[in-house]
Amino acid sequence: MEDLVVRDAEVVDGSGAPSYRADVVVDGGRIVSVVKEAAAAGCQRPRATRELDAEGLVLSPGFIDMHAHSDLALLRDPDHSAKAAQGVTLEVLGQDGLSYAPVDDRTLAEVRRAITGWNGAGDDIDFDWRSVGEYLDRLDHGFEGRGIAVNAAYLVPQGTVRALAVGWEDREATPQELARMRQLVAEGMEQGAVGMSSGLTYTPGMYAKDAELTELCRVVASYDGYYCPHHRSYGAGALEAYEEMVALAREAGCALHLAHATLNFGVNEGRAPELLGLLDRALAAGADITLDTYPYTPGCTTLAALLPSWASEGGPEAVLARLADEETAERVRHHLEVVGSDGCHGVPVEWDTIEVSGVSDPALSSYVGRRLDGWATARRLLLADRLGTAVLQHVGHEENVRAIMRHRVHTGGSDGILQGGKPHPRAYGTFPRYLGRYVRELGVLSLEECVARLTGRPAARLRLPDRGLVREGHRADLVLFDPETVAAGSTYEEPRRLPTGIPYVLIDGRFVIEDGRRTDVLAGRAVRRTP
């Protein structure tokens, strides 16, 4: 007898095809049979050690978060209900060009400082790895050798690679440094990374010219990976920035996945059709392009990320020194408020759109949830929190969000930052919000279309041949949800509230959510690139 049979589920299989009723049988961590209602008529139904009545529930593949910032959270939090309770069974880490491998001791210390606002300082983590392969091994080991809460794949972070080979200076790489970066990317891909990310509004990745990025993308393409850029602007010049990435990937012969593909700020209101037209022309010409979005209008980043690139050169200590100098700080203010900082996507900052979501220093917690009232407050907070402040930017447009999520190459990603007193609710709510608000309430997507965007299509981009579909032989990473009640619980006021309507989540055939509650199962592992 098999381990488990899920009886009478409405199967939405991740392909986009119409749903059907079936019994789904799981054994040894895999789906061993899918017995459709018609096929079961008049014959003996499958039996198993455990039977789960799924009447009224939809069974789908586990959701794949194509843009996650759980690089340290998976190592410090065995519960990780932020993602497990949403039905997420796989997260893609190493995003936005900055993460914790490959590094040496110097670079690790610098990166930890630079992205404290994303992942915390990491003082509770034993950073006993340096290479990509060692980090993936650490994820496999997880807690006391038992694994991690959900599966995780990794992108080689181009900014970290540049910090390791070149430093944090705004200059072109020497031929020797470029060769070193190519080697680091190749090693990361050989050790299991699925592609490479960039953060082209973050230092030091933003200092790379297109020729340098193209050379690194050629390495990624040689391993059948993909390039995932946070491109140079989501505000003024956003369409040109998208076009730059499409042209770069075409030149390199590399698959392209556009991270959190939004069009923000007043200059881009209603311009989603222009972006989609650009993508359609590239796809028609043979380009391999996908994208991800989160179903919310505000963005989320660090306060320091808004600074002009010249003020961010040299790493965190250099930035703090500039902010402490009155004359230099005035130059920064002028670039932010008048010129339009490249860190703020070329748009003059509107302070009342920026809400503090988290601080590193608990003594500054009174700022959390407040909108900034000007440069003086922002500067004071940057210095006092030593660049560790996270913020929400209320600069998005709902019509752009809806138009982009309808596109045929769309996938889902939370961009979820789990740090801070009031993190963005997308960290806890992205996937049930897609199903509850944009499928059931608004009808922007059909249920089958939405599930394909959250499962089968991401698995295809990641080149994972046995995930993302309800198929015999596939991994038993599965979600059962009630289509009538599934909804995000998280709000801007209570961002850590868990979703409703997702009673069961399985990873590798084991229940990580059962009867709506988190079990103690740690079934997640590192998912390495499939050659």
Side-chain angles (χ1 to χ4, degrees), residues 281-518:
R281 290 189 295 274
L283 290 163
D288 182 359
I289 302 174
T290 50
L291 57 85
D292 67 67
T293 71
Y294 46 83
Y296 297 86
T297 52
C300 181
T301 188
T302 61
L303 182 58
L306 307 185
L307 300 174
S309 56
W310 62 262
S312 299
E313 184 181 2
E317 291 302 326
V319 177
L320 289 167
R322 292 187 185 100
L323 291 172
D325 178 76
E326 294 294 336
E327 184 176 344
T328 308
E330 175 57 24
R331 284 183 60 208
V332 172
R333 183 204 65 77
H334 181 76
H335 274 258
L336 281 167
E337 297 182 347
V338 181
V339 176
S341 160
D342 50 2
C344 196
H345 306 278
V347 178
V349 69
E350 297 178 7
W351 293 112
D352 62 354
T353 68
I354 299 175
E355 176 185 351
V356 177
S357 61
V359 293
S360 296
D361 185 347
L364 302 169
S365 60
S366 63
Y367 284 94
V368 174
R370 289 169 49 185
R371 303 283 181 114
L372 295 180
D373 58 7
W375 166 240
T377 301
R379 179 192 177 198
R380 184 165 60 250
L381 188 53
L382 285 163
L383 286 167
D385 208 25
R386 297 188 64 78
L387 311 182
T389 304
V391 297
L392 305 186
Q393 283 186 281
H394 295 270
V395 292
H397 305 286
E398 179 67 18
E399 68 273 24
N400 286 344
V401 169
R402 295 190 194 186
I404 294 168
M405 76 168 63
R406 289 190 184 102
H407 197 271
R408 65 187 185 279
V409 301
H410 169 263
T411 69
S414 71
D415 196 12
I417 293 174
L418 302 170
Q419 292 296 119
K422 284 192 174 182
H424 196 303
R426 69 194 184 193
Y428 285 75
T430 286
F431 296 87
R433 182 171 169 87
Y434 266 120
L435 297 167
R437 179 160 177 76
Y438 288 93
V439 173
R440 183 180 63 245
E441 295 177 8
L442 300 176
V444 175
L445 299 170
S446 72
L447 181 59
E448 290 86 352
E449 288 172 337
C450 185
V451 168
R453 285 158 162 73
L454 307 182
T455 60
R457 188 174 299 153
R461 165 51 75 219
L462 296 170
R463 307 285 195 256
L464 301 176
D466 62 350
R467 297 178 191 268
L469 298 172
V470 179
R471 293 281 192 277
E472 292 182 6
H474 276 53
R475 295 274 185 177
D477 295 349
L478 301 169
V479 181
L480 288 107
F481 62 89
D482 183 341
E484 299 302 319
T485 63
V486 63
S490 59
T491 65
Y492 293 100
E493 288 304 313
E494 296 183 75
R496 289 189 170 89
R497 284 176 53 191
L498 297 179
T500 58
I502 306 179
Y504 300 101
V505 181
L506 296 90
I507 296 178
D508 205 34
R510 302 164 66 192
F511 285 93
V512 297
I513 300 291
E514 187 171 10
D515 295 323
R517 294 185 294 274
R518 180 73 171 94

